[in-house]
Amino acid sequence: MTKLTRRQAFGTVAGAAAGIAVAGIAVASANATPDKAGRSTTAATGTAAGTKHHHTAVPAPFSEVFEGRRIQGIPGDANAKSEAHGQHHTSATGYRVLIDGRELHVMQKPDSSWTSVMNHYQTFPDPHTTARAAVTSLMGADLVPHTPTA
């Protein structure tokens, strides 16, 4: 009876992992259906395979007091002038979030999630939740204006 070596065990595990990966790709390909333009779309998301998500829906406006701070979300012009600071803030999303009248720089990621300069390593489903998380992170401190350098 032969003894199984570490090299043989590793080879077996690596082969099994590769087989599972290939099977997963095959299942994903089988679930893809062509759209009207002939591109392959996935059944789960309806997006074209190999394409990035596009920001199509603009989130609804909001205005509320959260933890004693006034937070507002305003869809609008991406190059709108901030009344609080008199500066131009450019955002690819065209959506502005204000905390006590000061602009919180928010960004929509390719997967349609949102993040801000306050919680840069966290993602949120919408700007409203992003603003609430920023207020919580501020812990009562004032929001300092975001002034990117060119």
Side-chain angles (χ1 to χ4, degrees):
M1 188 159 141
T2 62
K3 196 173 187 183
L4 183 65
T5 66
R6 282 185 285 179
R7 181 174 289 177
Q8 290 170 328
F10 180 75
T12 302
V13 170
I20 291 170
V22 169
I25 292 170
V27 168
S29 295
N31 288 338
T33 57
D35 65 3
K36 291 179 184 177
R39 294 176 302 206
S40 177
T41 59
T42 60
T45 62
T47 58
T51 61
K52 294 183 179 180
H53 296 271
H54 295 285
H55 315 300
T56 55
V58 176
F62 62 89
S63 180
E64 73 172 3
V65 175
F66 178 74
E67 294 184 6
R69 311 291 289 270
R70 164 69 60 191
I71 59 173
Q72 297 170 297
I74 307 161
D77 184 18
N79 295 315
K81 191 177 254 193
S82 171
E83 293 84 10
H85 306 298
Q87 299 171 344
H88 284 285
H89 294 276
T90 57
S91 171
T93 62
Y95 198 89
R96 296 176 59 216
V97 173
L98 304 174
I99 298 177
D100 294 334
R102 292 189 168 191
E103 188 160 3
L104 171 70
H105 184 70
V106 295
M107 298 149 282
Q108 189 173 18
K109 298 175 79 173
D111 65 355
S112 296
S113 64
W114 292 76
T115 190
S116 74
V117 294
M118 287 298 304
N119 305 85
H120 198 264
Y121 296 105
Q122 293 176 300
T123 58
F124 303 96
D126 54 38
H128 193 182
T129 310
T130 306
R132 286 180 167 187
V135 166
T136 302
S137 295
L138 282 168
M139 295 187 284
D142 288 333
L143 181 65
V144 177
H146 174 69
T147 53
T149 56

